Amino acid sequence: MAAMAHRRYAEIMRDVEELINGHIAHQRAGTQERSKLKLLVPSVGTFFTPLNLEAAFTYQDKQRFISSRRFVPPSFNDIRLILNTAQVIGLVKGGPLNLVTFDGDVTLYDDGESLTPGNPVIPRILGLLRWGTRIGIVTAAGYTDASRYYGRLHGLLEAIRDSKDLTPVQKQNLIVLGGESNYLFKFDIEDPNLLTFVPREEWELEEMKKWTEEDVKELLDVAEVALRDAVKCMQLNALVLRKERAVGIIPAEGHKFAREQLEETVLVTQKILEFSPVGRRLPFCAFNGNYARNETPPHLPLPIPNLYLGGNDVFVDIGDKSWGVLACQRFFGGIEGRKSMHVGDQFLSAGANDFKARLVCTTAWIANPAETVQLLDEIYIHSGR
Ligand code: IMP
Ligand code: MG
């Protein structure tokens, strides 16, 4: 029974793989509007690499025994992990993988925590650096001060400093992009925080030069009014946090927001910004920190344990992670999307800040830091190293 189920599932995977290959052929010819996949899935985006779905299914079936289940069909999580594996295989086949960018909270460490020594992701990231792969940490957490990022990332930064086999050049290959796409820091062994702030003029993209300070202020003003309105309407016990390039609400001490309140606040704020003149001139990202543990948003049919962890805030940031990843690609000399992968936990389209990275590179959707470790191991496994 298991062998038969495996054969059937593998066949379906192969069919989808071929639909994607057909779409990629149309992309190359500039006729993607006419692909069969586009007809079936009108919202489908651009593919940076083929997805080796059949091989990925075979790999994940060995890990998760999907075909051996009689009553529970392939689930949302099964498919998510098969897609991640397919993406990894697609990347290593088209290699080399030149840039891996990571989200912070939930991807590298649990929500609101830090990357401390002993985190199993550290030796894997060091392994990528040893290969010459560039690393970017593209996080919404926005601080102007290197010491705050040192606090959040010190386990990794110290391991790079202390590494005996990384060359000085390889050690330079780590940067942090904070506030989605607002603050760039590069690894610096001489600095007590192991990071140096790189002034915006030195790295900002041509397109970003059009983002004037007046517009930034105006957008944050509109967002702040929208957030305060939501707080008032739903009588939230909230503190409003205004930063140089972001504005957000966090729960007052001893309180917690419900998922519905977080989502309503994000959606209302996003709509108000979209309709405002400044929201059309300036890219922004309105999103909420993750849901409470084990809660499932209403539009997904099955519970997805552990997909949503901790975190309980709403932020509006200037820019978004597509700009953050693009800035990393250009900082390292113009790395192409097909050689670049962003790993993150927020990909559900409403209020999900990693989703935008998909515009400029390949992505992997993980549900917790342990899955990030597994994903990095898969890069090694499928590279045959
Ligand atoms: P990420 O998962 O690394 O992108 O971080 C997202 C979390 O960073 C949010 O849920 C907030 O808890 C936190 N955070 C801290 N400062 C900021 C900010 O300025 N903008 C957005 N999120 C922030
Ligand atoms: Mg995250």
Side-chain angles (χ1 to χ4, degrees):
M1 188 213 76
M4 200 193 296
H6 179 92
R7 188 164 46 74
R8 291 207 177 136
Y9 291 150
E11 237 168 55
I12 294 168
M13 291 297 163
R14 174 148 208 96
D15 286 348
V16 179
E17 185 175 324
E18 277 165 13
L19 276 173
I20 294 172
N21 287 339
H23 186 79
I24 291 173
H26 275 289
Q27 265 174 211
R28 290 208 182 102
T31 54
Q32 59 269 40
E33 294 308 310
R34 278 195 261 144
S35 88
K36 191 168 168 193
L37 185 61
K38 182 82 183 169
L39 291 176
L40 294 168
V41 188
S43 61
V44 76
T46 303
F47 289 86
F48 291 96
T49 71
L51 291 179
N52 298 71
L53 285 166
E54 190 182 7
F57 171 71
T58 298
Y59 175 82
Q60 284 295 344
D61 204 21
K62 287 202 187 107
Q63 311 295 311
R64 300 170 68 79
F65 300 95
I66 301 167
S67 307
S68 300
R69 299 197 306 242
R70 292 193 214 179
F71 294 101
V72 180
S75 67
F76 180 90
N77 274 338
D78 292 326
I79 303 290
R80 181 175 58 74
L81 290 167
I82 292 166
L83 282 167
N84 286 350
T85 301
Q87 186 56 80
V88 165
I89 300 174
L91 278 164
V92 299
K93 270 193 169 177
L97 175 54
N98 286 336
L99 171 67
V100 182
T101 53
F102 295 93
D103 162 59
D105 294 55
V106 184
T107 301
L108 293 176
Y109 36 81
D110 283 331
D111 222 10
E113 304 202 351
S114 299
L115 215 172
T116 46
N119 183 325
V121 84
I122 294 172
R124 274 89 176 170
I125 294 181
L126 261 58
L128 287 173
L129 286 169
R130 215 171 288 127
W131 280 4
T133 305
R134 272 54 183 261
I135 303 292
I137 295 175
V138 182
T139 169
Y143 317 118
T144 44
D145 187 5
S147 68
R148 298 294 301 274
Y149 290 109
Y150 176 75
R152 304 289 309 265
L153 302 169
H154 66 98
L156 174 63
L157 298 173
E158 287 159 0
I160 295 175
R161 178 195 61 198
D162 299 340
S163 164
K164 300 275 181 287
D165 55 356
L166 284 177
T167 66
V169 172
Q170 287 169 340
K171 291 187 183 193
Q172 300 276 322
N173 285 346
L174 177 124
I175 60 175
V176 176
L177 247 187
E180 318 274 357
S181 53
N182 285 310
Y183 310 108
L184 197 155
F185 294 82
K186 61 180 181 188
F187 183 81
D188 179 359
I189 210 153
E190 305 294 336
D191 193 286
N193 294 310
L194 298 175
L195 289 169
T196 321
F197 180 71
V198 184
R200 191 169 289 136
E201 309 79 71
E202 286 178 31
W203 61 270
E204 80 180 338
L205 310 176
E206 271 312 305
E207 301 88 322
M208 289 179 175
K209 295 191 174 133
K210 296 186 209 118
W211 308 357
T212 65
E213 286 310 312
E214 295 74 47
D215 275 358
V216 167
K217 180 177 178 306
E218 192 180 329
L219 191 134
L220 294 179
D221 285 345
V222 176
E224 185 176 336
V225 169
L227 290 171
R228 286 188 189 279
D229 255 9
V231 167
K232 207 166 129 203
C233 287
M234 290 184 281
Q235 302 194 12
L236 305 178
N237 268 304
L239 304 175
V240 176
L241 221 72
R242 175 86 180 230
K243 301 187 180 183
E244 187 199 22
R245 293 225 153 190
V247 57
I249 55 167
I250 56 171
E253 181 104 33
H255 293 271
K256 227 169 174 259
F257 304 141
R259 171 175 51 73
E260 292 81 356
Q261 296 170 329
L262 290 168
E263 283 199 342
E264 174 70 14
T265 307
V266 169
L267 293 173
V268 155
T269 308
Q270 192 169 309
K271 268 284 164 274
I272 290 174
L273 286 169
E274 276 169 10
F275 288 141
S276 72
V278 67
R280 297 205 187 107
R281 294 196 295 269
L282 201 61
F284 64 88
C285 179
F287 76 105
N288 57 262
N290 302 277
Y291 304 97
R293 209 172 277 268
N294 289 337
E295 263 198 276
T296 308
H299 47 282
L300 287 175
L302 288 170
I304 309 168
N306 292 332
L307 191 50
Y308 309 102
L309 300 172
N312 202 237
D313 45 32
V314 176
F315 271 95
V316 176
D317 293 314
I318 302 295
D320 61 46
K321 289 198 185 185
S322 70
W323 292 101
V325 174
L326 198 60
C328 293
Q329 291 170 342
R330 301 229 186 122
F331 185 83
F332 289 121
I335 293 172
E336 294 167 85
R338 68 191 173 90
K339 301 200 165 192
S340 158
M341 172 167 67
H342 179 72
V343 185
D345 64 292
Q346 291 215 345
F347 283 96
L348 280 180
S349 41
N353 69 344
D354 293 302
F355 185 66
K356 281 283 172 103
R358 179 68 182 77
L359 292 170
V360 297
C361 66
T362 74
T363 51
W365 180 359
I366 55 77
N368 53 53
E371 280 192 5
T372 304
V373 169
Q374 279 168 15
L375 182 89
L376 296 183
D377 284 344
E378 281 190 36
I379 297 179
Y380 294 90
I381 293 167
H382 298 297
S383 303
R385 296 204 191 195

